[in-house]
Amino acid sequence: MIVGFTNEGSCMRYIIIGAGAVGGTIGGRLFDSGREVVLVARGAHAQALRERGLRLELPDGTHELPVPVVDGPDDVTARDDDVLVLAVKTQDTADALARWSGHGDRPAVVCAQNGVENERLALRRFRDVHAMCVWLPSSYLEPGVVAAPCAPLTGILHLGRYPSGADDTTRRIAADLADSGFAAPVRDDVMAWKYAKLLANLGNAVDALFGSVGGGPPAELAERAGAEGAAVLDAAGIPFVGAAEAARERGDRMRIRPVNGPARGGGSSWQSLMRGTGSIESDYLNGEIVLLARRLGVPAPVNEALQRTANLFARERRRPGDLTAGERAALLASLREA
Ligand SMILES: NC(=O)c1ccc[n+]([C@@H]2O[C@H](COP(=O)([O-])OP(=O)(O)OC[C@H]3O[C@@H](n4cnc5c(N)ncnc54)[C@H](OP(=O)(O)O)[C@@H]3O)[C@@H](O)[C@H]2O)c1
């Protein structure tokens, strides 16, 4: 199918590369508010989306959305107003960018992802790169179905040009998002928000590895991963927004509410293990801290242990909570090395 239609009244066309939890929610909400959206998906998910549309579960109910779906760039005639919204996990970014690098002359690219590597990868291939700090609890556990349980806002999506600043395109995208159930503050220093989010995401591997078995993970492990990460960012002179400021910004605008469908038992890394995808994002979350620490010659034992064990779990397609006693002991021992 070639998608080349125009939609009166819409300024931009959003091509969502990776229509999973985050991409499906952002794409679905933009589509629902009348914006022009194309979802890029693959495999069983693409088939379900084509047959039944996107089923987006929100606290106010189920939204059945007939969003156009494509396999890749050969199915979409490029337009000047295209915005490529990158919403794959970081380990899939290089491949996705390579596939889409020939799309049009200069599409805007938005990295709607965690970690801080995606923008660097995107800027190698595209001039107009925007970073998004994604506060959007969401899940994708079965083909065709995406759930986002927060209300009254579905999420808060700080947006700015990469590496810094903001322009008219940033503001137009933010205005569309603000009209679609999100807050989308435009920030000159968006990467300081993304580094703050990175610190919060250092606990993703803890959730994924421990699951809810035995009362869930020891709180100390995620706390120490975050503290170790903050110390490494400080040592590297990288600014990040403080946790208190980030919490103030969220206030009570994003409360978890019940939604239909499978329960969200954990974040995006937990979901990777639940779906048995064979890969996990830890090299770009805990691994970002490990990389910086190695460059600086300082230790980061907690993040190293989490990264190593998470990769092992993904490779062996183990489920959250499948830790052996030895692995659990080794993770807890990393706390004493710190
Ligand atoms: N989930 C959350 O609550 C949350 C919240 C904030 C930020 N984030 C961040 O948002 C980013 C996306 O996470 P997510 O949880 O939305 O991931 P996800 O649910 O796994 O969605 C990613 C989707 O991209 C697809 N994909 C991968 N490579 C592709 C390619 N080359 N072409 C087309 N589709 C491709 C995957 O395909 P398959 O269907 O084959 O797997 C999957 O459907 C990550 O950086 C994550 O850390 C997630």
Side-chain angles (χ1 to χ4, degrees), residues 18 20-22 42 87 89 114 134 136 138 140 264 268 275 281:
V22 164
R42 60 188 186 182
K89 292 210 166 90
N114 283 330
V134 185
L136 170 51
S138 47
Y140 154 53
R264 183 182 196 269
S268 55
R275 295 208 331 269
E281 210 172 17

Side-chain angles (χ1 to χ4, degrees), residues 241-254:
V241 171
E245 186 179 350
R248 249 194 326 276
E249 174 100 2
R250 276 193 298 275
D252 60 0
R253 299 188 295 166
M254 284 175 58

Side-chain angles (χ1 to χ4, degrees), residues 17-23 40-42 45 87-90 92 95-96 99 112-114 134 136-140 197 264 268 271 275 277 281:
I17 304 173
V22 164
V40 184
R42 60 188 186 182
H45 189 43
V88 299
K89 292 210 166 90
T90 309
D92 295 321
D95 179 51
R99 291 194 74 199
Q113 298 159 296
N114 283 330
V134 185
L136 170 51
S138 47
S139 57
Y140 154 53
K197 183 77 194 314
R264 183 182 196 269
S268 55
Q271 291 167 39
R275 295 208 331 269
T277 57
E281 210 172 17

Side-chain angles (χ1 to χ4, degrees), residues 5-21:
F5 55 83
T6 54
N7 182 8
E8 280 308 310
S10 177
C11 299
M12 318 268 235
R13 177 173 65 175
Y14 294 93
I15 299 177
I16 313 284
I17 304 173

Side-chain angles (χ1 to χ4, degrees), residues 222-257:
E223 279 165 25
R224 292 285 287 279
E228 186 178 276
V232 169
L233 294 188
D234 280 340
I238 295 173
F240 55 94
V241 171
E245 186 179 350
R248 249 194 326 276
E249 174 100 2
R250 276 193 298 275
D252 60 0
R253 299 188 295 166
M254 284 175 58
R255 292 222 161 141
I256 301 267
R257 303 278 186 222

